[in-house]
């Protein structure tokens, strides 16, 4: 698919580099102070037909852009050709950590950097979808547009907090997303937040519940990033299950449905990766439709044969210096603009998978009946 991408071995080494950098940075930085206030089993994309859309419609909020998707259309082969649809193309899944006015680590981003990147995505025709929507094949963005997944690890307080008037803080991740959505109406205000035991730096249960429910009710996804963010390869099977099940218990107490997705802390996969796909601990079970890594390239489409929901690639949000010269978001967004045929372009039709005729063989066998080739 990505003809100019280096060999798999080099990609894996880049992943290790990203993971190692994150381990060193996150283990050495101090914990930020707490802020007051504020399943389905089996293959996630298998089924008799393509799902019609997100599992639940977000609640509209006066004064904030809506996360509702546009009405679906019926795409003929000729229409798919006109919009240059390619739903076998690659999807950028961007990975963010802390958002700080002064960067203390290479993986930090400033509010200005996040805002600039999101505005670039909007201008380039990208429409955000959640990690859940990606993993379940529900990327029903308008025809001719490209899905992008915005993911935020660790539930840091810079990701979300509410001001006295009940609106998101302006320099928080959520605040910036809404600012860009106001400026670019086609930019859908959704993202995925993978949290640990103190979501968004909040200590009080009622504050945690308020924050999580606010996000989920407006179309954002809040899901599992383990209880205490350990290095999973260093743990035994029961310890890993406990980390995941304890976070699922917390989410349930906060009024959130079971997680469909999870992100590996530090991007580190245990040797027996089945334990992070599904399991049970003290009566609490989990089963994920998508497990996400830490980098370092766009993900293949969930409709193609190469797709593996057990290890989904992401891209670190960053510039092009040092180890990010060819592995982070600025490089890859430029690459995708130079290679538009490699990029996922939607047909606007939830019931079809539109691809150029030469790519129909790339589609998974259980999805062949949905192919709309031109």
């Amino acid at each position: 698919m990505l003809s100019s991408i280096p060999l798999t071995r080099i990609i894996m080494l880049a992943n290790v580099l990203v993971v190692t950098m994150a381990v060193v940075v996150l283990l050495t930085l101090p914990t930020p102070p707490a802020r007051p206030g504020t399943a389905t089993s089996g293959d996630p994309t298998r089924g008799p037909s393509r799902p019609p859309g997100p599992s639940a419609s977000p609640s509209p909020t006066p004064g904030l852009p809506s996360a509702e998707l546009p009405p679906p259309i019926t795409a003929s082969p000729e229409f798919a050709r006109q919009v240059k649809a390619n739903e076998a193309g690659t999807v950028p899944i961007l990975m963010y950590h802390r958002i700080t006015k002064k960067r203390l680590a290479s993986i930090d981003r400033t509010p200005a950097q996040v805002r600039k990147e999101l505005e670039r995505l909007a201008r380039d025709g990208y429409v955000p979808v959640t990690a859940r929507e990606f993993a379940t094949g529900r990327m029903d963005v308008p025809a001719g547009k490209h899905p992008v997944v915005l993911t935020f690890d660790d539930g840091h307080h810079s990701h979300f907090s509410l001001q006295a008037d009940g609106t998101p803080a302006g320099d928080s991740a959520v605040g910036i997303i809404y600012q860009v959505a106001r400026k670019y109406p086609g930019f859908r205000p959704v993202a995925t937040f993978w949290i640990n035991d103190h979501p968004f730096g909040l200590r009080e249960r009622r504050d945690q519940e308020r924050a999580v429910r606010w996000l989920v009710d407006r179309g954002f996804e809040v899901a599992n990033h383990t209880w205490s963010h350990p290095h999973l390869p260093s743990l035994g099977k029961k310890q890993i299950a406990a980390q995941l099940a304890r976070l699922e218990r917390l989410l349930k107490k906060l009024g959130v449905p079971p997680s469909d997705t999870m992100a590996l802390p530090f991007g580190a996969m245990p040797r027996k990766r089945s334990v992070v796909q599904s399991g049970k601990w003290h009566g609490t079970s989990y089963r994920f439709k998508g497990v996400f890594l830490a980098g370092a390239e766009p993900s293949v489409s969930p409709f193609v044969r190469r797709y593996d929901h057990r290890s989904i690639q992401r891209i670190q949000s960053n510039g092009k210096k040092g180890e990010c010269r060819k592995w982070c978001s600025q490089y890859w967004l430029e690459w995708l603009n130079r290679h538009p045929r490699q990029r996922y372009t939607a047909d606007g039709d939830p019931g079809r998978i539109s691809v150029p005729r030469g790519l129909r063989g790339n589609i998974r066998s259980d999805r062949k009946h949905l192919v709309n080739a031109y």
Side-chain angles (χ1 to χ4, degrees), residues 43-215:
D43 193 323
T45 62
R46 290 187 179 273
S49 63
R50 187 171 170 185
S55 56
S57 296
S59 302
T61 304
L64 292 178
S66 173
E68 290 280 1
L69 284 161
I73 65 169
T74 299
S76 65
E78 180 56 34
F79 179 81
R81 177 182 291 107
Q82 290 176 7
V83 300
K84 300 180 181 179
N86 177 16
E87 296 185 326
T90 57
V91 178
I93 303 175
L94 303 188
M95 176 181 68
Y96 298 88
H97 287 85
R98 301 188 310 178
I99 302 174
T100 60
K101 291 184 178 180
K102 182 178 181 181
R103 297 175 66 192
L104 301 177
S106 62
I107 57 176
D108 291 342
R109 305 297 277 160
T110 68
Q113 289 172 330
V114 175
R115 191 175 290 108
K116 181 179 179 181
E117 183 160 78
L118 298 192
E119 290 188 357
R120 174 186 182 159
L121 289 168
R123 290 193 300 270
D124 288 348
Y126 287 96
V127 177
V129 299
T130 64
R132 176 191 293 118
E133 290 168 339
F134 171 86
T136 56
R138 295 173 174 175
M139 299 181 291
D140 301 324
V141 302
K145 300 296 184 178
H146 322 292
V148 61
V149 187
L150 309 176
T151 68
F152 296 82
D153 290 18
D154 309 336
H156 192 259
H157 66 75
S158 63
H159 297 164
F160 177 64
S161 63
L162 290 174
Q163 302 179 108
D165 62 358
T167 60
D171 279 348
S172 68
V174 176
I176 294 168
I177 289 170
Y178 275 117
Q179 292 161 21
V180 176
R182 286 193 188 97
K183 187 174 181 179
Y184 300 90
F187 193 78
R188 184 171 172 243
V190 299
T192 292
F193 296 93
W194 281 306
I195 65 170
N196 304 119
D197 60 333
H198 292 108
F200 311 113
L202 301 170
R203 300 284 174 174
E204 296 295 327
R205 182 61 51 83
R206 62 183 178 182
D207 294 332
Q208 295 174 351
E209 182 175 359
R210 180 190 182 207
V212 169
R213 289 303 315 172
W214 195 99
L215 292 167

Side-chain angles (χ1 to χ4, degrees), residues 4-25:
S4 67
I5 293 179
L7 297 174
T8 301
R9 182 179 299 274
I10 298 177
I11 293 172
M12 294 306 297
L13 288 174
N15 269 312
V16 172
L17 182 59
V18 171
V19 170
T20 302
M21 176 185 68
V23 170
V24 172
V25 169

Side-chain angles (χ1 to χ4, degrees), residues 270-343:
R271 282 180 296 178
K272 291 185 177 181
R273 64 181 187 174
S274 61
V275 70
V276 299
Q277 314 303 322
S278 62
K280 188 174 184 180
W281 179 80
H282 289 194
T284 300
S285 60
Y286 56 89
R287 184 179 295 273
F288 303 117
K289 298 175 182 177
V291 174
F292 290 73
L293 304 173
E297 63 175 340
S299 172
V300 298
S301 164
F303 304 133
V304 303
R305 292 184 296 174
R306 292 173 50 212
Y307 175 71
D308 184 353
H309 76 277
R310 301 167 299 178
S311 54
I312 301 172
Q313 289 276 13
R314 291 191 289 165
I315 307 167
Q316 180 191 144
S317 173
N318 219 319
K320 293 171 63 177
K321 295 181 179 179
E323 69 277 358
C324 278
R325 188 173 63 88
K326 285 191 175 182
W327 303 113
C328 296
S329 59
Q330 183 177 339
Y331 169 83
W332 279 114
L333 293 176
E334 291 174 358
W335 191 95
L336 288 168
N337 276 345
R338 294 196 307 270
H339 302 83
R341 294 184 179 180
Q342 302 282 6
R343 180 170 49 188

Side-chain angles (χ1 to χ4, degrees), residues 231-269:
H231 183 250
L232 294 182
S234 302
L235 303 183
K237 181 177 179 180
K238 290 184 178 179
Q239 292 172 305
I240 294 173
Q243 283 284 330
L244 296 167
R246 290 184 70 189
L247 205 285
E248 286 301 303
R249 286 183 180 179
L250 173 62
L251 290 170
K252 184 177 181 179
K253 291 176 181 177
L254 299 179
V256 179
S259 300
D260 284 328
T261 67
M262 71 87 65
L264 295 164
F266 313 115
M269 181 75 76

